[in-house]
Amino acid sequence: MDSICAIVVTFQPDAEFPDRLDRLSTEFRRVFVIDNASSSLRIREDDKIRVLQNDHNVGIAAALNRGLRDAHAAGYAWAVTFDQDSEPVEGFAEAMLASVRALKTCRLLLGANYVDVHRRRLAHHVGSQRSAPVRRTTLITSGMLLPVGFALAIDGFREDFFIDSVDHEFCLRAADHGAGVFVTREPLMRHAIGAPVAGVRWARALSSAHPASRKYFIARNALWTVRLHAYRHPLWSLRQFARVIAEAVGILLFETGRFTKIGAFLRGIRDGVMVDVRRAR
């Protein structure tokens, strides 16, 4: 337990964030909070919580890399990355480490299964919760346990992605460097994907209700990731194409401000296809 820390990236967190941070501080010996220039961040540092503030919003990838470097400098071998709206269950850290011991390898990424609070369902339906973790192709950033030294050795998260598909691209690159990618069967946190969407089940499934600026990165980065990794992960890449189509349908059918969002989405598709992703970094 002394070798594992938490890294949380914040940007304009809500009023309940301090309570979630308190929960994290009971699970981990040290929590690194990397703030992307929030206008108001009311967090008091102590012997468990260290706040690192960027002078502007550098994006989630650059913030995570800063957290990894500080965790490495402080001597931590493992880190769990979190979004600001995620809430781990009691015993989270010990459950994750128990899963690592069951897998009998240290070259891995381990995601925490979670309950999606907006869609009101379990993210991964993987059978008996008492069995060992199962293999996945990619994981979300929040609740991901990773070896700090290994993550830095493969150049961390791609900072030019800024936000969206940062986690997927990292997982695929880690797998290319020999890491196993797994997720726990047991749900170990509550996490919100996108914004709450009212209406029928199809609306909740297709619409993430993100702002137009986010729609750009969703499209561009999904296509960038496919271009980088399709040759090794063709089936996963086909699902990403389906995701892009579903996102467009969700915007047109269920979201407000659809014309602005579709414009941003189409610009993302253009740059996802036209920009040289290998040089963009």
Side-chain angles (χ1 to χ4, degrees):
M1 291 296 293
D2 288 343
S3 67
I4 182 173
C5 67
I7 299 172
V8 188
V9 177
T10 56
F11 178 68
Q12 312 293 22
D14 61 25
E16 285 73 43
F17 175 69
D19 293 334
R20 292 192 290 272
L21 184 58
D22 285 343
R23 170 66 65 86
L24 284 174
S25 69
T26 66
E27 291 290 326
F28 298 92
R29 182 179 179 183
R30 177 70 59 85
V31 181
F32 295 92
V33 179
I34 319 298
D35 181 67
N36 271 331
S38 299
S39 57
S40 178
L41 187 71
R42 298 182 177 88
I43 298 174
R44 182 175 298 175
E45 288 190 287
D46 56 30
D47 59 341
K48 281 196 165 188
I49 298 173
R50 182 179 179 189
V51 180
L52 308 170
Q53 292 187 298
N54 294 316
D55 58 9
H56 65 285
N57 186 357
V58 299
I60 189 171
L64 287 169
N65 287 340
R66 183 177 182 184
L68 288 172
R69 290 191 296 269
D70 276 69
H72 186 264
Y76 289 97
W78 296 88
V80 182
T81 55
F82 286 99
D83 290 350
Q84 63 189 20
D85 56 1
S86 299
E87 182 179 354
V89 303
E90 184 177 354
F92 175 97
E94 182 53 48
M96 293 290 280
L97 290 178
S99 292
V100 172
R101 289 191 288 269
L103 292 168
K104 299 179 180 179
T105 179
C106 288
R107 179 158 290 199
L108 57 76
L109 307 179
L110 177 64
N113 203 352
Y114 62 94
V115 174
D116 184 335
V117 298
H118 292 329
R119 293 174 173 83
R120 300 188 293 275
R121 60 181 174 83
L122 191 64
H124 304 285
H125 296 277
V126 287
S128 172
Q129 295 181 8
R130 296 183 179 276
S131 303
V134 294
R135 283 193 176 272
R136 301 292 295 179
T137 305
T138 63
L139 306 167
I140 65 169
T141 304
S142 197
M144 184 196 302
L145 174 70
L146 50 79
V148 174
F150 172 75
L152 291 173
I154 64 170
D155 297 329
F157 297 87
R158 275 194 63 142
E159 298 185 8
D160 56 339
F161 273 47
F162 195 79
I163 193 171
D164 284 301
S165 294
V166 169
D167 40 16
H168 297 314
E169 195 284 326
F170 175 78
C171 289
L172 295 173
R173 186 158 32 90
D176 290 346
H177 284 81
V181 181
F182 302 88
V183 68
T184 67
R185 295 175 184 265
E186 179 185 4
L188 295 176
M189 68 177 183
R190 288 166 50 84
H191 177 68
I193 298 291
V197 177
V200 297
R201 179 180 178 184
W202 279 110
R204 294 196 301 270
L206 292 174
S207 176
S208 59
H210 288 304
S213 58
R214 187 80 180 268
K215 298 297 186 183
Y216 169 83
F217 288 111
I218 289 173
R220 189 198 70 172
N221 293 355
L223 295 176
W224 274 10
T225 307
V226 167
R227 288 172 59 196
L228 287 166
H229 298 284
Y231 70 101
R232 290 285 299 273
H233 305 279
L235 292 179
W236 182 91
S237 297
L238 285 174
R239 290 195 295 270
Q240 288 303 289
F241 280 123
R243 176 197 173 202
V244 170
I245 294 170
E247 188 75 33
V249 172
I251 295 170
L252 290 171
L253 295 183
F254 302 116
E255 298 191 19
T256 59
R258 57 176 59 91
F259 294 111
T260 302
K261 291 180 178 181
I262 280 294
F265 199 75
L266 290 175
R267 289 192 297 274
I269 291 175
R270 177 199 64 197
D271 291 349
V273 172
M274 299 300 294
V275 172
D276 187 344
V277 65
R278 297 187 185 277
R279 292 186 178 182
R281 187 166 186 173

